[in-house]
Amino acid sequence: MSPREGAMAGVLAARTRQIARAGSGGADLDCDKQSVAGSVSQRACTFCGSRVVLYPIADALHLVHGPIGCAVYTWDIRGALSSGPELHRLSFSTDLRERHVVFGGERQLEDSLMELIERHSPRAAFVYATCIVGVIGDDVDAVCRTVSGRTGIPVIPVQSEGFQGSKRQGYDAACTALLSLIGTGDTTGISPHSVNLLGDFNLAGEIWIITEYLRRMGVEVVANLTGDGRVDQIRRAHGAALNLVQCSGSTTELARQMQRRYGVPFQKVSYFGLDDMAAALYGIAEHFKDPVLLDRTRSLVAEEIAAVLPVVQECRAALEGRRAAIYVGGAFKAISLVKALRLLGMTSVLVGSQTGTAEDYRYLAELCDPGTVIVDDSNPAELARFLAEEKVDLFVGGVKERPLAYKLGVAFCDHNHERKIPLEGFIGMANFAKEVRASVCSPVWQFAPRHREPVRPTPTEEVLS
């Protein structure tokens, strides 16, 4: 059986082009396609993708136009923190019922918006269209224009009907909504050494770590898109000198659009792990071609690495040789995780994502050790099989992967939107190392069935068999 055939065992025939092994010459995966019917994908829907991106804008109203269940899905389960207003942590819904399906929900939407805007005085309002709104055909755009005219604030439709596609289409809907705000604010007084932070959602306060690094370098942050975001900052984002794209899947298209419309260049960056964090800061310094700024960056990187390296080395002593599996939303994050786990002496034997591109997977295949399973848009059955076959000691994923790991007796690290500990920045690598060590080395795993010695059959059982 070839390496690729080995990775295919138990996989639906329609998905064989979405799985490969590094080093087998077959890393050109089919990706960014609809999930195979019946595979129960781990991937989220269009509505969820749009909410992930826009939800952290803290002084905006976020109204879900649909059944109440859709509003509950992302209500306050994400760790996007705000340094000021917390309107984003409230979840609003038009609570569509059967009568709205029959007679339409536009009146319900308009009344809800007027009441909520009067009560909370937001700087803007986002209206998320869900599946049922697409089915019954409510004209959300028209209602938003009407309410915006009556209230004087931007009321922005987000065309995010879940059935439109996958989470990636939700990213696109969110970027379209953001583009309607960008370019409407005054850019007076913005420093020539200035950036926007794209695709960082301030989980556990991470964006504050990055902002502090930039402040020490002498770089101004104009707008956060969207962690700890503010409407007025976003409106003047087109005045920044550079866009930094952290979550490439969600905001690269926004960065491209800003480059076309306003001439703002962008860099893809990662703030996870020592190597990628340092590379991100050096890339920013080199962009501005300022020797003083570059000297500050060198000092900052040296100081921060010296502070966290002893922690990383101590954890590595306990983790050397362990095997890890990674399944996260974006492939760009997976790339940084492979590097970070390697720094801890661990081998990544499975790497996958919900929204990776062909380019991302080709790079992963080059980065990972030969034989590593590379998978796009996986499902619980596949993941469970790979975890068992590859005998992993650690699974790095999100809220949907956690129960899978625990059921199989595998240590788990939450690297998604629900976590409460910052993992970005140099200090984030130290936090990650300590969390991985605590989970992998926990004595609880000795009681998991896969670690127990096989029970010898009794003589009676041997006779019966």
Side-chain angles (χ1 to χ4, degrees):
M1 181 180 290
S2 69
R4 180 155 188 150
E5 288 169 338
M8 296 299 108
V11 171
L12 292 172
R15 282 194 35 78
T16 54
R17 288 291 307 165
Q18 290 177 270
I19 303 170
R21 282 188 185 267
S24 67
D28 285 327
L29 299 187
D30 285 347
C31 52
D32 197 18
K33 56 188 285 190
Q34 290 281 19
S35 300
V36 175
S39 67
V40 194
S41 169
Q42 297 287 92
R43 182 192 272 167
C45 71
T46 302
F47 163 69
C48 180
S50 67
R51 283 278 277 168
V52 166
V53 175
L54 296 173
Y55 159 82
I57 301 174
D59 58 353
L61 179 77
H62 299 271
L63 175 60
V64 178
H65 187 33
I68 192 68
C70 294
V72 171
Y73 177 62
T74 50
W75 174 56
D76 209 27
I77 64 170
R78 299 181 179 273
L81 300 185
S82 169
S83 57
E86 295 192 332
L87 185 54
H88 68 305
R89 298 188 66 187
L90 300 179
S91 188
F92 302 109
S93 168
T94 48
D95 188 19
L96 294 184
R97 304 292 180 92
E98 188 175 356
R99 66 178 183 277
H100 302 115
V101 174
V102 176
F103 300 107
E106 293 177 8
R107 180 63 181 272
Q108 180 84 349
L109 174 60
E110 184 173 342
D111 290 348
S112 299
L113 279 169
M114 292 304 300
E115 179 182 346
L116 289 169
I117 291 169
E118 181 181 0
R119 181 176 296 183
H120 295 284
S121 303
R123 299 296 299 166
F126 293 97
V127 178
Y128 302 81
T130 57
C131 287
I132 192 62
V133 173
V135 171
I136 64 179
D138 278 358
D139 191 344
V140 178
D141 287 19
V143 175
C144 288
R145 283 196 301 272
T146 299
V147 175
S148 184
R150 293 173 63 186
T151 60
I153 68 166
V155 181
I156 303 162
V158 185
Q159 299 298 343
S160 54
E161 294 87 348
F163 58 69
Q164 280 194 45
S166 71
K167 191 175 180 181
R168 179 173 286 278
Q169 282 66 49
Y171 293 158
D172 294 341
C175 290
T176 300
L178 287 169
L179 279 168
S180 71
L181 275 178
I182 294 169
T184 60
D186 182 10
T187 59
T188 304
I190 293 177
S191 166
H193 293 169
S194 56
V195 298
N196 296 315
L197 302 181
L198 274 62
D200 190 312
F201 305 118
N202 201 32
L203 308 179
E206 288 175 330
I207 213 167
W208 301 329
I209 296 172
I210 306 305
T211 301
E212 175 61 14
Y213 291 161
L214 293 170
R215 187 196 64 76
R216 288 164 63 184
M217 290 167 58
V219 176
E220 175 188 355
V221 176
V222 178
N224 299 333
L225 298 113
T226 55
D228 197 18
R230 301 290 183 274
V231 171
D232 289 345
Q233 292 176 350
I234 294 170
R235 297 179 77 152
R236 67 198 297 261
H238 58 297
L242 177 67
N243 278 333
L244 302 176
V245 179
Q246 152 78 351
C247 181
S248 61
S250 65
T251 50
T252 297
E253 183 53 30
L254 176 64
R256 289 197 182 108
Q257 291 285 346
M258 289 182 69
Q259 188 167 35
R260 279 194 284 269
R261 291 190 188 185
Y262 306 108
V264 182
F266 70 91
Q267 291 182 359
K268 290 186 180 181
V269 296
S270 172
Y271 308 134
F272 296 113
L274 301 186
D275 292 343
D276 284 351
M277 183 67 252
L281 297 182
Y282 282 131
I284 298 164
E286 288 167 3
H287 172 82
F288 290 116
K289 304 184 188 311
D290 182 335
V292 176
L293 195 152
L294 186 57
D295 283 344
R296 290 197 201 110
T297 306
R298 290 196 188 100
S299 300
L300 186 157
V301 171
E303 181 182 329
E304 293 292 329
I305 289 182
V308 303
L309 203 53
V311 176
V312 174
Q313 290 171 333
E314 182 184 344
C315 294
R316 179 181 175 121
L319 297 169
E320 190 87 47
R322 303 297 188 113
R323 297 162 68 86
I326 301 166
Y327 189 78
V328 290
F332 212 63
K333 183 192 295 182
I335 291 169
S336 289
L337 280 168
V338 171
K339 296 177 185 176
L341 290 166
R342 189 171 284 165
L343 189 61
L344 295 174
M346 300 181 70
T347 303
S348 299
V349 294
L350 164 68
V351 184
S353 81
Q354 297 178 32
T355 59
T357 64
E359 182 184 5
D360 294 332
Y361 291 127
R362 277 195 293 273
Y363 182 75
L364 274 170
E366 294 172 7
L367 177 68
C368 294
D369 295 331
T372 302
V373 177
I374 311 292
V375 58
D376 173 68
D377 183 26
S378 195
N379 57 66
E382 286 176 4
L383 290 174
R385 190 179 186 101
F386 290 138
L387 293 179
E389 287 180 352
E390 300 299 326
K391 296 180 170 54
V392 303
D393 301 295
L394 172 74
F395 191 13
V396 183
V399 65
K400 295 190 290 293
E401 288 76 41
R402 183 194 298 272
L404 182 61
Y406 288 162
K407 285 178 181 176
L408 295 173
V410 175
F412 182 78
C413 176
D414 184 348
H415 211 287
N416 213 314
H417 294 257
E418 295 75 32
R419 58 189 154 81
K420 308 300 180 189
I421 299 174
L423 301 181
E424 286 185 7
F426 299 103
I427 185 65
M429 181 63 208
N431 291 339
F432 179 65
K434 288 189 284 189
E435 186 168 329
V436 169
R437 180 183 59 177
S439 188
V440 171
C441 300
S442 170
V444 73
W445 305 123
Q446 65 183 301
F447 302 109
R450 75 190 190 102
H451 293 294
R452 293 180 190 157
E453 291 293 328
V455 179
R456 293 177 60 83
T458 64
T460 303
E461 289 172 332
E462 287 178 336
V463 170
L464 291 175
S465 65

